[in-house]
Amino acid sequence: MWPTKKWDPRGQFCYVTGGSSGLGLAVAKALTNMGAHVTIVARNEERLTKALAELEELRQNPNQVICSYSYSLTDADSSNAALEVASKDHGGKYPDAVFMCAGAATPGFFVEEDANSMRKGMDNSYWVQAYTALAYTKAIVRDRTSGKLVFISSLLGYMSMLGYSTYSPGKYALRGLAETLRSELILYDCTVHIMFPGNIDTPGYAEENRTKPKVALEVDSSDKPTAPDVLATQLIHGVQRGDFHISPDILSNIFRSSTIGATPHHNVLLDGLYAVVGWIGLPLWRQGVDSKVLKHRNEHDEYLAAKGFFKTVL
Amino acid sequence: MWPTKKWDPRGQFCYVTGGSSGLGLAVAKALTNMGAHVTIVARNEERLTKALAELEELRQNPNQVICSYSYSLTDADSSNAALEVASKDHGGKYPDAVFMCAGAATPGFFVEEDANSMRKGMDNSYWVQAYTALAYTKAIVRDRTSGKLVFISSLLGYMSMLGYSTYSPGKYALRGLAETLRSELILYDCTVHIMFPGNIDTPGYAEENRTKPKVALEVDSSDKPTAPDVLATQLIHGVQRGDFHISPDILSNIFRSSTIGATPHHNVLLDGLYAVVGWIGLPLWRQGVDSKVLKHRNEHDEYLAAKGFFKTVL
């Protein structure tokens, strides 16, 4: 069911969404460096061209097929089309692994969201990966071939706090989808992996901080952003080991073990240690965040009043 | 932040979605019986009329305002409209508590889903509650009044298995939303609650079993459906105690404690006991399910072949 031999990306067809920047680009570079055939898909053509040039520089041999395509992945038809086009470069063979790194967060206060921003948040956190997973799974099952689904969730798929009402639900939903598929794809030859990284040092993270509520920024400052290439290495190692949940650092391991439920363990003893640390530490951490939020009440009330939010401004 | 005095529904305006059948109707009946003003919202007018008559029979005093409205709650505008109309019966005052019991599951195999069924699954598991939560939260914050958000997730918001790719992601997403709001609504006077029930003995559950894959049915048979009125009582007691996660039985408590992360504990000692039971028991349970799925491979392959799913039928 799970591979016992370490997976080797060399000569494998790897499909990386969000591959033009941030974590996706770092994953594409690491895979290229390991001798894989790499296709990146993203929206921005300019960034794709630049990214493709960076990948070409890392080419290990002349046979590596390295391609880029511009598609929107928050649309189902377009997600299908991207996968079909990418497969054509390989004579109709679908990828050996899909790394679903596309995604974005736009934090804000719940009372300032509307149906449109909530939907858009779900598109950019969940559907941007779920549509690709659906298209890919159907394709490889139909072809009776094997595959790997690699999702990128977030620490915000293990816990949440103020500011993330448009993002955390989608990252939790990805966990729900991955948990379902880990079980269901035992019916075929497809392994499922999902990483839960904290903050990543990318242009997307800088963008996200522009709309992030002040208290969330304050809480966030304790989680220093990790370089995308460090996470890319962790991600690929996790897939190589056959890990289902991939937790790239201690914090992520603590949250993984503290929310493990029926999810497979890595190392039952070490995970037990993480779980005990989480059992004691996480409630204290949460109480700290809660009291920061509580202290922010008056300031927040003034903020909403200044924006004309209340029916009667006090 | 959290109420220290036990909440009393008597004379409170309670808004119950999905209130015409199943868990929603049971909650509406229990609240009516406790002397609350109850408004139920659902789609089916015939069922609403019948449900309203049942509620009238339980009326405790002539002053109780008991109403029903037919609205689709998977649509944002319609969810807003339902809440506005319900408030008019109370002179424009918004509900003291919203019980979001609307929802439905349509299990199936992932490779047989399409973008449309996946979207519809998210509508019926997540948006059917999220839109009401958004409309309500904005309304009570704007009115500077207090409130209670009561979500209904599922055991499938704590774990998942084959068959639930259109449902479990939405139930996980509800947990993500509730975790966000528990933190964020500390800024206002609104408490957040979310229940994680197992199978419920309702017409919806019977309907769901019609499309459920055979293996999922087999696994499911170990979780006997609970009567909706038992769960309704548990739900209301949980809200009265001020519980954030409401776990109505031992299995739900085991999953809650085993996936607790930074979520507030109920009783740290008892929860610890549940967590230890889960740490040992849940992996064994999962392995049992996994091996059932694995054994089902050939039968499933024949099933797909018979449906003409493969490009080349073997």
Side-chain angles (χ1 to χ4, degrees):
Chain A
M1 173 173 47
W2 292 98
T4 46
K5 215 185 104 197
K6 203 174 136 180
W7 181 64
D8 183 2
R10 177 169 305 274
Q12 299 273 296
F13 172 18
C14 297
Y15 181 84
V16 184
T17 72
S20 73
S21 70
L23 178 64
L25 177 57
V27 169
K29 283 161 95 171
L31 290 167
T32 305
N33 212 20
M34 291 169 102
H37 307 295
V38 175
T39 296
I40 55 174
V41 182
R43 222 170 317 198
N44 189 305
E45 303 216 16
E46 201 179 316
R47 275 209 296 257
L48 271 173
T49 311
K50 236 188 101 202
L52 194 66
E54 287 187 55
L55 296 183
E56 275 298 343
E57 274 181 32
L58 295 167
R59 174 187 284 285
Q60 299 296 298
N61 66 66
N63 303 326
Q64 274 178 280
V65 180
I66 301 174
C67 305
S68 76
Y69 291 104
S70 166
Y71 279 92
S72 161
L73 299 170
T74 50
D75 174 88
D77 289 340
S78 175
S79 298
N80 285 345
L83 189 66
E84 291 302 326
V85 160
S87 308
K88 290 232 169 75
D89 297 322
H90 295 262
K93 182 189 174 299
Y94 289 99
D96 295 292
V98 292
F99 291 83
M100 293 168 282
C101 305
T106 311
F109 289 111
F110 189 53
V111 296
E112 296 191 295
E113 304 296 350
D114 55 32
N116 189 41
S117 67
M118 292 286 285
R119 281 254 167 208
K120 218 172 140 188
M122 192 57 95
D123 284 346
N124 287 323
S125 56
Y126 179 69
W127 296 111
V128 72
Q129 297 186 33
Y131 285 144
T132 293
L134 181 64
Y136 177 68
T137 306
K138 288 171 93 151
I140 61 162
V141 171
R142 202 177 291 123
D143 275 4
R144 295 183 179 280
T145 180
S146 64
K148 290 185 181 304
L149 279 170
V150 187
F151 295 97
I152 309 294
S153 179
S154 158
L155 279 189
L156 290 158
Y158 280 148
M159 57 90 184
S160 192
M161 54 181 170
L162 96 168
Y164 294 103
S165 58
T166 63
Y167 183 68
S168 176
K171 292 301 188 179
Y172 268 81
L174 281 179
R175 178 175 180 181
L177 182 62
E179 298 282 346
T180 310
L181 298 184
R182 190 208 59 78
S183 165
E184 188 162 331
L185 304 193
I186 292 175
L187 291 170
Y188 324 103
D189 295 311
C190 190
T191 63
V192 181
H193 314 269
I194 178 167
M195 183 163 76
F196 296 83
N199 293 325
I200 315 178
D201 192 5
T202 61
Y205 178 62
E207 181 61 29
E208 171 187 326
N209 278 342
R210 285 185 41 230
T211 62
K212 198 174 283 178
K214 216 176 114 188
V215 206
L217 266 178
E218 224 176 89
V219 173
D220 227 31
S221 65
S222 61
D223 178 22
K224 275 203 109 168
T226 309
D229 53 332
V230 171
L231 282 175
T233 307
Q234 296 278 16
L235 177 68
I236 295 167
H237 285 174
V239 173
Q240 291 188 299
R241 278 193 304 268
D243 287 351
F244 169 41
H245 278 211
I246 298 172
S247 35
D249 55 27
I250 290 181
L251 196 58
S252 178
N253 271 306
I254 290 173
F255 272 109
R256 179 181 57 76
S257 301
S258 302
T259 64
I260 204 157
T263 303
H265 287 287
H266 290 176
N267 174 316
V268 72
L269 288 178
L270 192 55
D271 284 1
L273 186 65
Y274 285 129
V276 169
V277 172
W279 193 266
I280 298 162
L282 293 182
L284 297 174
W285 171 82
R286 189 201 67 246
Q287 282 158 23
V289 176
D290 284 357
S291 77
K292 273 198 186 106
V293 176
L294 192 59
K295 273 189 202 134
H296 196 72
R297 261 183 94 129
N298 289 340
E299 195 181 326
H300 179 68
D301 193 88
E302 284 162 18
Y303 160 86
L304 286 182
K307 282 197 136 187
F309 183 82
F310 299 113
K311 277 183 177 161
T312 327
V313 179
L314 290 188
Chain B
M1 171 174 46
W2 293 98
T4 45
K5 216 184 104 198
K6 204 174 134 180
W7 180 64
D8 184 2
R10 176 169 305 273
Q12 300 272 296
F13 171 17
C14 297
Y15 182 83
V16 184
T17 73
S20 72
S21 70
L23 178 63
L25 176 57
V27 169
K29 283 162 93 171
L31 290 167
T32 305
N33 212 20
M34 291 169 100
H37 306 295
V38 175
T39 296
I40 56 173
V41 183
R43 223 171 316 199
N44 189 306
E45 304 216 18
E46 201 180 315
R47 275 209 296 257
L48 272 173
T49 311
K50 232 187 104 202
L52 195 66
E54 288 188 53
L55 296 184
E56 276 298 343
E57 274 182 32
L58 295 167
R59 175 187 285 282
Q60 299 296 300
N61 66 67
N63 303 325
Q64 272 178 283
V65 181
I66 302 175
C67 306
S68 76
Y69 291 104
S70 167
Y71 278 92
S72 161
L73 297 171
T74 51
D75 174 89
D77 289 341
S78 174
S79 298
N80 286 346
L83 189 66
E84 290 302 326
V85 161
S87 307
K88 289 230 170 75
D89 297 321
H90 295 261
K93 182 187 174 299
Y94 288 98
D96 294 292
V98 292
F99 290 83
M100 293 169 281
C101 305
T106 312
F109 289 112
F110 189 51
V111 297
E112 296 191 293
E113 304 295 351
D114 55 31
N116 190 42
S117 67
M118 292 285 287
R119 282 255 168 209
K120 217 172 140 190
M122 193 57 95
D123 284 347
N124 287 324
S125 57
Y126 180 69
W127 295 112
V128 71
Q129 296 186 34
Y131 286 144
T132 294
L134 181 64
Y136 177 67
T137 307
K138 289 171 91 151
I140 60 161
V141 170
R142 201 179 291 123
D143 275 3
R144 296 183 179 279
T145 179
S146 64
K148 291 187 182 302
L149 278 170
V150 187
F151 295 97
I152 309 295
S153 179
S154 160
L155 279 189
L156 289 158
Y158 279 148
M159 58 86 185
S160 192
M161 55 182 169
L162 95 168
Y164 294 103
S165 57
T166 63
Y167 183 68
S168 175
K171 291 301 187 179
Y172 268 82
L174 281 180
R175 177 175 180 181
L177 182 63
E179 297 282 344
T180 310
L181 298 184
R182 191 208 57 80
S183 166
E184 188 161 331
L185 303 193
I186 292 175
L187 291 169
Y188 323 104
D189 295 311
C190 188
T191 63
V192 181
H193 314 269
I194 177 167
M195 182 162 76
F196 296 83
N199 292 326
I200 316 178
D201 193 4
T202 60
Y205 178 63
E207 181 61 31
E208 171 186 328
N209 278 343
R210 285 186 41 231
T211 63
K212 199 174 281 177
K214 214 177 113 190
V215 206
L217 267 178
E218 224 176 90
V219 173
D220 228 32
S221 64
S222 62
D223 179 22
K224 275 203 110 165
T226 309
D229 54 330
V230 172
L231 281 175
T233 307
Q234 294 279 14
L235 178 68
I236 295 167
H237 285 175
V239 173
Q240 290 187 299
R241 277 192 305 267
D243 286 351
F244 170 40
H245 278 212
I246 298 172
S247 33
D249 55 28
I250 289 183
L251 194 59
S252 178
N253 271 306
I254 289 173
F255 272 109
R256 177 181 59 74
S257 301
S258 301
T259 64
I260 204 158
T263 303
H265 286 287
H266 290 177
N267 173 316
V268 74
L269 289 179
L270 192 55
D271 285 0
L273 186 66
Y274 285 129
V276 169
V277 172
W279 193 266
I280 297 162
L282 293 182
L284 297 174
W285 171 82
R286 189 200 68 245
Q287 283 158 23
V289 176
D290 285 357
S291 76
K292 272 199 188 106
V293 176
L294 192 59
K295 274 189 203 132
H296 196 72
R297 261 183 92 131
N298 290 340
E299 194 181 327
H300 179 67
D301 193 87
E302 283 161 20
Y303 161 86
L304 287 182
K307 282 198 136 186
F309 182 83
F310 300 113
K311 276 182 180 163
T312 326
V313 179
L314 288 187

